[in-house]
Amino acid sequence: MSKTADFIKSIQGLSTEDLAARIKEDEMRLRKLEFAHAMSPLENPMSIRNLRRDVARLKSEFRKKQLSA
């Protein structure tokens, strides 16, 4: 199974509070990565894109749970 599919399965079991905390934490990591990349190029700049997409997946799952409640 791919990493993306594993990630999606892992977030589907989380509660809305856990998702909100995870979103906040990952957004903070994203800001730090983007700042570090602005100062000096990262060794792997694709990590910014991957983290941004993970945050979007988390927000989508969070919104889906909000609408179903």
Side-chain angles (χ1 to χ4, degrees):
M1 206 177 260
S2 70
K3 181 184 172 203
T4 304
D6 290 338
F7 179 77
I8 292 171
K9 285 188 185 246
S10 71
I11 64 173
Q12 286 177 343
L14 297 176
S15 68
T16 55
E17 296 84 19
D18 293 336
L19 281 171
R22 180 90 184 262
I23 289 169
K24 191 173 187 177
E25 175 185 318
D26 283 354
E27 283 179 337
M28 182 66 74
R29 281 182 39 216
L30 181 61
R31 277 192 295 244
K32 286 181 181 180
L33 268 178
E34 288 172 340
F35 183 74
H37 185 62
M39 292 294 129
S40 63
L42 291 177
E43 191 171 312
N44 183 10
M46 291 297 290
S47 61
I48 293 174
R49 180 189 294 180
N50 293 334
L51 186 56
R52 190 173 63 235
R53 288 181 178 178
D54 286 347
V55 169
R57 288 184 186 105
L58 286 166
K59 286 181 176 182
S60 296
E61 186 65 28
F62 181 75
R63 183 69 178 146
K64 189 167 95 175
K65 287 186 186 271
Q66 276 184 332
L67 293 175
S68 69

